[in-house]
Amino acid sequence: MTKSKPSNIRVRFAPSPTGYLHLGNLRTALFNYLFARQQGGSLILRLDDTDMERSEEEFIQGIFEDLKFLGIDFDQGPFRQSERRALYEEKLDLLKSKGLVYPCFCSKETIENFRAKAKSQGRAYRYEGTCLSLSSSESQDKVAAGDPYILRFKVGEDNISFHDLVWGEKQFSGSEIGDFALTRSDGSPLYLFTSVVDDGDLKVSHVIRGEDGLSNTPRQLLLWKALGYSIPQTAHLPLILGSDRKLLSKRHGASSLRELRRQGYVKEAILNSLVLLGWAPPEGREVLTLEEMIGLFNLEKVARHAAVMDFEKLNFFNAHYLRTISEKSFLEQALPFVPPAFEAEGLDKKILHLRNNLHRLDELGDWLKVLEVFPDFHHKPWPEELKNQESLSLIQLAIRSLKSESFFEEEAFKVYLKDLQKSSSLKGKKLFMPLRLALTGQEHGPELVKVFQLFDSVALKERFQHAAKYLQQCVG
Ligand code: GLU
């Protein structure tokens, strides 16, 4: 149940628009959303687009679209980091005035050499602190001479500890971390810093993000403190793997929402799969609507061990939701799968008739093709046991018994079938299968009444005639 009382809970989803959202990002978005809705809090959308070279408008639009598709809505934002430079400058000045930053003139090559040396000695790299020992006049001279530099934060040697809602107590030593960069050499601020400023400025209470953010947390903690912000709680969500326990990628089936959508998965099934990546509902009840997820989700029960994306379960959810979601949701998601040239009277109704037979929406095109062209019996012949006079007589009867020009209503169809049964003296497979084959060329598919309802009586007659002609050739 969504809490209605006002809440100080404020969370944010902060993707970098350098590509289409990975399912891991969407799981992060979903968990933030569930937590915010459950707590009666606010969800903020922030675009981490300070890396101007790699951020693209197309990806930003992609993010909006993906979130909208899944039904994850926001209370505030989108805030674009690229538009908040003045705020970052102000906060950099604050750190400068506190003597917490210093310019570093070490070239990229120098840093690379340090890094290589650390690696060869089998230790983790940390900045050696070369420029920390420059006197302030030395630094000023270099700046005045136009030497390129970045700004580094003075970390010190103290231990840094925090309690993560998923990982529990974490401790890092300042000496392991080393003085880290806040800006690039062109003066632009880096994510590590901008994220802290935004979280502080927007009064974020909980930072819920992927496990890869865990190693940034001690550095960000120092910045939150140095800037005088209240410190948010953190919850780092476990990695997402494929069935071979390697990081989830395209090769496992799909790694982005776009791919899943293209393959014909409905949003309800995708959301249900996403919510199980790192969290398990109580009592093992796994089929959950978004409303139910909001009620049951528990951030503190998120697992630390990596989560495996289960595509078989996704298929199961998809088949389930294709049958059970509202007609509106089904049609909204199914209509984009109708081939562009396909126009049919009562299209919505026809698609709805097919829903119980679909596992994925991308099968819809094949079904609709059945409506466009006559079955090709030479390519896919009738089963031998039905290629006989009995079937031919049945089809001829079926033609004679057709009445109106329009589509069958359920009741009228029952009467029609009963009459056919009586006059042909056939029942079961011998009755149903030739009718189904004549109309679709397929042995499987929607219930027979629904197959009939795909065509008006003119089309039914044409198909039966086409099948009768084929059977005549077989029999005669
Ligand atoms: N833009 C960062 C990312 O996509 C955000 C990390 C965070 O939530 O702080 O990894």
Side-chain angles (χ1 to χ4, degrees):
M1 272 238 295
T2 311
K3 290 189 183 161
S4 54
K5 63 178 172 11
S7 155
N8 294 327
I9 302 288
R10 291 170 62 78
V11 294
R12 86 303 195 268
F13 174 52
S16 307
T18 52
Y20 289 113
L21 290 182
H22 184 271
L23 291 178
N25 297 119
L26 287 163
R27 190 268 316 261
T28 298
L30 176 63
F31 282 21
N32 272 288
Y33 171 83
L34 295 178
F35 185 64
R37 292 291 164 266
Q38 175 179 75
Q39 301 292 321
S42 303
L43 177 56
I44 300 163
L45 176 59
R46 184 181 89 206
L47 299 165
D48 287 359
D49 60 349
T50 52
D51 185 349
M52 299 298 273
E53 266 167 39
R54 292 171 59 223
S55 300
E56 284 182 29
E57 194 54 37
E58 181 192 341
F59 298 135
I60 294 180
Q61 293 310 322
I63 290 169
F64 295 154
E65 219 207 298
D66 281 358
L67 295 172
K68 189 161 175 243
F69 171 78
L70 290 177
I72 297 180
D73 51 352
F74 289 86
D75 305 298
Q76 254 189 299
F79 295 98
R80 293 183 187 221
Q81 289 197 321
S82 57
E83 291 168 0
R84 294 164 67 78
R85 182 80 182 257
L87 178 66
Y88 307 138
E89 296 296 342
E90 188 191 308
K91 298 296 170 187
L92 273 178
D93 287 344
L94 177 65
L95 292 181
K96 282 183 202 159
S97 73
K98 290 185 169 187
L100 290 171
V101 293
Y102 62 91
C104 169
F105 303 92
C106 294
S107 65
K108 270 204 178 107
E109 294 73 49
T110 310
I111 299 289
E112 277 318 311
N113 287 339
F114 282 149
R115 225 184 262 281
K117 195 169 141 204
K119 200 173 169 199
S120 71
Q121 293 172 347
R123 58 183 169 85
Y125 166 75
R126 45 155 281 180
Y127 177 60
E128 310 257 319
T130 322
C131 292
L132 181 62
S133 49
L134 293 175
S135 71
S136 69
S137 66
E138 277 173 316
S139 292
Q140 273 163 18
D141 287 350
K142 279 176 169 291
V143 172
D147 284 6
Y149 67 95
I150 60 168
L151 288 175
R152 283 188 188 274
F153 185 80
K154 287 184 195 167
V155 171
E157 304 285 311
D158 291 350
N159 282 347
I160 304 158
S161 59
F162 59 94
H163 180 90
D164 186 85
L165 290 173
V166 175
W167 296 82
E169 287 304 310
K170 295 296 278 181
Q171 224 191 51
F172 295 81
S173 125
S175 58
E176 277 167 32
I177 291 176
D179 296 346
F180 57 88
L182 300 180
T183 58
R184 299 183 184 87
S185 57
D186 64 2
S188 62
L190 287 165
Y191 150 78
L192 203 77
F193 172 69
T194 53
S195 180
V196 167
V197 172
D198 286 331
D199 288 341
D201 187 62
L202 297 166
K203 300 195 168 28
V204 166
S205 64
H206 291 71
V207 168
I208 304 171
R209 63 184 173 192
E211 187 183 325
D212 50 344
L214 199 54
S215 60
N216 287 330
T217 308
R219 282 175 271 254
Q220 295 189 317
L221 196 77
L222 294 174
L223 292 172
W224 275 313
K225 278 189 190 152
L227 290 165
Y229 291 127
S230 56
I231 297 174
Q233 297 246 42
T234 61
H236 288 89
L237 312 176
L239 296 175
I240 301 179
L241 310 178
S243 48
D244 56 1
R245 304 203 64 84
K246 301 234 167 74
L247 279 183
L248 182 69
S249 72
K250 212 179 168 129
R251 128 191 102 71
H252 292 108
S255 60
S256 71
L257 181 64
R258 254 137 232 273
E259 291 162 67
L260 289 182
R261 280 178 73 177
R262 219 176 299 125
Q263 292 170 6
Y265 291 98
V266 289
K267 65 178 175 204
E268 291 82 356
I270 298 172
L271 283 168
N272 212 147
S273 283
L274 287 179
V275 83
L276 299 181
L277 294 172
W279 176 71
E283 292 159 28
R285 212 190 108 217
E286 291 194 328
V287 177
L288 299 173
T289 64
L290 196 54
E291 269 307 303
E292 289 169 328
M293 290 176 205
I294 294 172
L296 293 171
F297 182 70
N298 186 345
L299 190 55
E300 294 185 33
K301 288 270 159 62
V302 170
R304 286 177 206 174
H305 56 79
V308 176
M309 175 72 190
D310 186 340
F311 285 95
E312 259 177 51
K313 205 172 266 181
L314 175 64
N315 286 335
F316 164 78
F317 286 144
N318 210 47
H320 166 78
Y321 285 113
L322 281 168
R323 284 160 183 67
T324 53
I325 55 179
S326 69
E327 290 192 355
K328 181 168 172 278
S329 180
F330 176 80
L331 285 172
E332 258 168 27
Q333 298 182 78
L335 285 170
F337 284 85
V338 175
F342 191 86
E343 269 179 45
E345 200 189 320
L347 181 62
D348 289 2
K349 203 169 164 200
K350 287 179 180 162
I351 298 175
L352 282 166
H353 282 161
L354 294 168
R355 71 190 275 186
N356 287 352
N357 290 84
L358 298 174
H359 300 92
R360 290 177 13 182
L361 289 170
D362 60 350
E363 296 156 4
L364 202 56
D366 283 343
W367 270 109
L368 292 173
K369 252 189 241 143
V370 166
L371 304 188
E372 272 189 319
V373 288
F374 281 170
D376 180 355
F377 301 122
H378 294 286
H379 183 69
K380 192 170 180 244
W382 284 39
E384 279 309 318
E385 72 274 18
L386 293 172
K387 256 191 224 173
N388 49 28
Q389 183 58 46
E390 229 171 35
S391 298
L392 174 59
S393 308
L394 170 70
I395 301 295
Q396 286 164 339
L397 257 176
I399 297 172
R400 283 202 297 278
S401 320
L402 280 172
K403 287 194 194 90
S404 75
E405 297 271 306
S406 62
F407 293 90
F408 265 113
E409 293 298 336
E410 195 121 353
E411 280 311 308
F413 177 74
K414 276 190 196 154
V415 174
Y416 173 82
L417 197 66
K418 195 127 209 117
D419 285 351
L420 270 187
Q421 187 182 346
K422 263 196 217 146
S423 39
S424 70
S425 312
L426 295 171
K427 57 182 182 195
K429 192 175 165 193
K430 287 186 173 181
L431 173 68
F432 305 133
M433 195 54 85
L435 298 172
R436 177 183 292 283
L437 282 166
L439 295 180
T440 66
Q442 314 279 330
E443 291 182 53
H444 304 283
E447 272 175 74
L448 197 56
V449 56
K450 293 191 171 159
V451 172
F452 269 78
Q453 286 174 331
L454 294 172
F455 308 96
D456 66 12
S457 61
V458 176
L460 287 172
K461 191 167 171 186
E462 281 170 1
R463 283 183 183 236
F464 284 141
Q465 282 169 339
H466 172 74
K469 211 157 140 197
Y470 164 76
L471 283 174
Q472 243 147 11
Q473 283 166 8
C474 297
V475 176

